[in-house]
Amino acid sequence: IWKNGQFDGFIGIRINVFTFLTGMLGDGDGRGFLLHAKANGHQVFSEIGDMDLAGPSKTFVMNLDADNDGWEFTVYPTREVLALFQSPLPYIVAISGLLIALLFYVTMSSRIKAKTNAKLLRKAIRRRQEVESKLEHMAKHDALTHLPNRSYLNIYLENKIKECELKGRKIAVLFLNIDEFKSVNEIYDHGLADEVLKIIPQRINDALKGSAMIAHLGGDEFVICLSENLIEQKLFIYAEDVLKSIRTPIIIGHETIRITASMGVSYYPQHGQTASELVTRAEQAVNQAKSLGKDVYTIFDESLESTSVQKAAMLQAFNKGLDEQQFEMFFQPRHDIKTGAMVGAEALLRWNQGGNYLSPDAFLDLAEESGMIVSICNSAFDMAFAQYHHLFSGNPPIMLAINVSAKQLAHPDFLNDLFAMMDTHEFPSEMLEVELTEQTLIQNYESSLATLNALHSAGVKIALDDFGTGYSSLSYLKNFPVDVLKIDKSFIKDIHKNKGELELAKAIIAMGKSLKMEVVAEGVENQKQLSILEKEGCQQAQGFYLNKPLPFSQFDQLFNKKGRHSDGYN
């Protein structure tokens, strides 16, 4: 002890470690662990008693005095704590808690995921329902006008038929076809034509005051269904109102479009018991309306059906005729009037019906209307080229004249098909003459001009057939590459006894010669006509007086017998 800056002696303190530490730490059972202490390898304090020292422990060293080795303290859990550590209950509680937490997490996640999936599923179902609804609408409605189409019309009519059957009512089906709608497409662009088709149902609806179902079958065809308790005597009012509404000029932008329509009418139950029958018979009636001059309506009658049946049978016969090569060419010789020599022949289509040959008058109109004229004539042309190739073998070639219709001339493959057949049969183009009527030339002026120029460039001659019976415009002779002018037989028939007919024939001959065209007289029936034609300078002639049309076998014999340079007429 230091006192007033001077050493004043020592104070000695002796500590009982066990008592000191016991007092400091308190009861071991209360605190949950027991302490064992060593100093310099000697035990200085212990609370473990007979406890197994191999149990769990924690050891640490502390310097409590100047002893550098320090005191080594070892801490052991009490029996109670040790038992708690060794019991599975904490683990069970911990694992259970973990499982409960995991299950709670999974449950919540599943619930959230289920809600999300349910929401997505609802969206997918709604989207699918929208798509199915659109597809169903598209399947039953026209894309352009959004009106019901043929499929919807059939369902609608069948349901109405059942309803009318129960209530004893009638249905009127009006089949409406726009007259000459093709010209609208040709004169205006297709967009404008489509707008016209959209306006038509609006006009119909206004005329019928919304009391009808209107369907668009495509193109220029509409069907109107009047399903009210109809009185036949009132139908003409409805029909006239509809035709009048369509007749009213349509104004789109700066364009004013005038169109008309034809209608055919059928009734349930008089004209049909099914939707198909009613629509078919209304369509047959509209065809009759068109033949009456258009812009009118007609009501179906049985005679129309018989005509349609005949047409259907004829179309089937056309197909059979093509398969069996029943369509043939007869050849009518054409002679030089001065020398009498055979200079060519006109190929005339005939249909071999079991040895009975039908002329085109019996089937040409329907063949044109159905579009089968192209296939029929191509088949006959191909056969004629093959036969003429045989005819040329060892003989000087003579001109072959073939007649081409407006539909053939307008067909996009006409030139390709014709040139392909000529190549196949090695037919010289300079020996081919294509005959067309004035009506054929003007139906599609620009297209006809381009096609004829292509033929002329290839060496094919162009003949204007039946001249004088059509438009007879000099502009056609001037603008088209015409090489041959054929005077129609109606101008030849009375030239030997009618001065007016003679003057017309003389004028045509003079005009042809002035334009440096070959002039051919058709329908020559006697020597007087032939003599007058020779006197007036007509170069060539054909007709029954000279030769009637012959099947190729007879024509071949005639050619080989008389040859090209014959001195007389047959």
Side-chain angles (χ1 to χ4, degrees), residues 11 14 19 58-59 81 190 268 330 345 352 368 378 388 400 422 486-487 505 533 559:
I11 296 176
R14 183 177 181 179
T19 302
K58 175 66 177 176
T59 301
V81 172
H190 286 284
Y268 169 84
F330 274 41
N352 186 353
E368 284 270 6
N378 280 352
Y388 242 66
L400 172 65
M422 292 170 65
K486 299 190 75 174
I487 308 173
L533 290 168
F559 182 80

Side-chain angles (χ1 to χ4, degrees), residues 64-262:
L64 298 180
D65 55 16
D67 187 354
N68 291 330
D69 290 337
W71 286 31
E72 182 182 276
F73 292 89
T74 303
V75 180
Y76 296 91
T78 62
R79 283 183 171 84
E80 289 78 8
V81 172
L82 185 61
L84 187 62
F85 286 157
Q86 293 175 343
S87 171
L89 182 60
Y91 298 103
I92 293 172
V93 172
I95 292 171
S96 298
L98 182 62
L99 288 174
I100 290 169
L102 182 61
L103 287 172
F104 179 76
Y105 173 76
V106 170
T107 301
M108 293 302 294
S109 297
S110 298
R111 186 177 179 185
I112 294 170
K113 188 176 181 180
K115 283 184 177 180
T116 303
N117 289 339
K119 187 176 181 181
L120 292 174
L121 183 60
R122 283 194 299 271
K123 284 184 179 179
I125 291 172
R126 188 163 54 250
R127 198 179 304 117
R128 181 174 179 177
Q129 288 173 338
E130 289 173 355
V131 171
E132 289 176 349
S133 178
K134 287 180 181 178
L135 289 174
E136 184 178 2
H137 185 273
M138 289 171 63
K140 294 181 180 179
H141 290 77
D142 173 61
L144 175 64
T145 63
H146 302 292
L147 291 173
N149 60 12
R150 189 182 293 272
S151 175
Y152 184 98
L153 173 66
N154 287 335
I155 296 170
Y156 175 87
L157 275 176
E158 291 297 347
N159 289 332
K160 284 297 178 183
I161 287 171
K162 291 176 184 177
E163 181 182 320
C164 291
E165 202 173 10
L166 293 172
K167 298 180 181 179
R169 293 183 176 179
K170 294 182 179 180
I171 300 172
V173 175
L174 285 64
F175 196 109
L176 184 144
N177 185 268
I178 307 301
D179 298 327
E180 303 296 342
F181 189 72
K182 181 182 177 183
S183 63
V184 177
N185 276 310
E186 291 175 349
I187 296 171
Y188 307 100
D189 60 55
H190 286 284
L192 200 65
D194 287 346
E195 289 302 313
V196 172
L197 290 176
K198 292 177 185 178
I199 291 171
I200 295 300
Q202 298 173 16
R203 295 279 182 91
I204 297 170
N205 209 35
D206 291 342
L208 298 175
K209 298 177 174 57
S211 62
M213 193 282 284
I214 306 168
H216 184 209
L217 303 191
D220 55 3
E221 296 179 339
F222 296 85
V223 169
I224 307 161
C225 299
L226 296 176
S227 58
E228 63 186 33
N229 193 7
L230 193 68
I231 301 172
E232 290 185 39
Q233 287 78 2
K234 284 182 61 178
L235 179 68
F236 76 92
I237 299 175
Y238 298 129
E240 287 295 343
D241 285 347
V242 169
L243 294 180
K244 182 179 178 182
S245 69
I246 293 173
R247 207 178 294 135
T248 304
I250 296 172
I251 300 173
I252 302 176
H254 300 293
E255 301 289 349
T256 299
I257 304 168
R258 290 177 171 83
I259 57 174
T260 60
S262 300

Side-chain angles (χ1 to χ4, degrees), residues 442-463:
I442 67 164
Q443 282 197 18
N444 195 331
Y445 184 92
E446 292 185 2
S447 176
S448 297
L449 182 60
T451 301
L452 294 185
N453 281 332
L455 287 171
H456 204 260
S457 297
V460 177
K461 287 189 174 182
I462 309 300

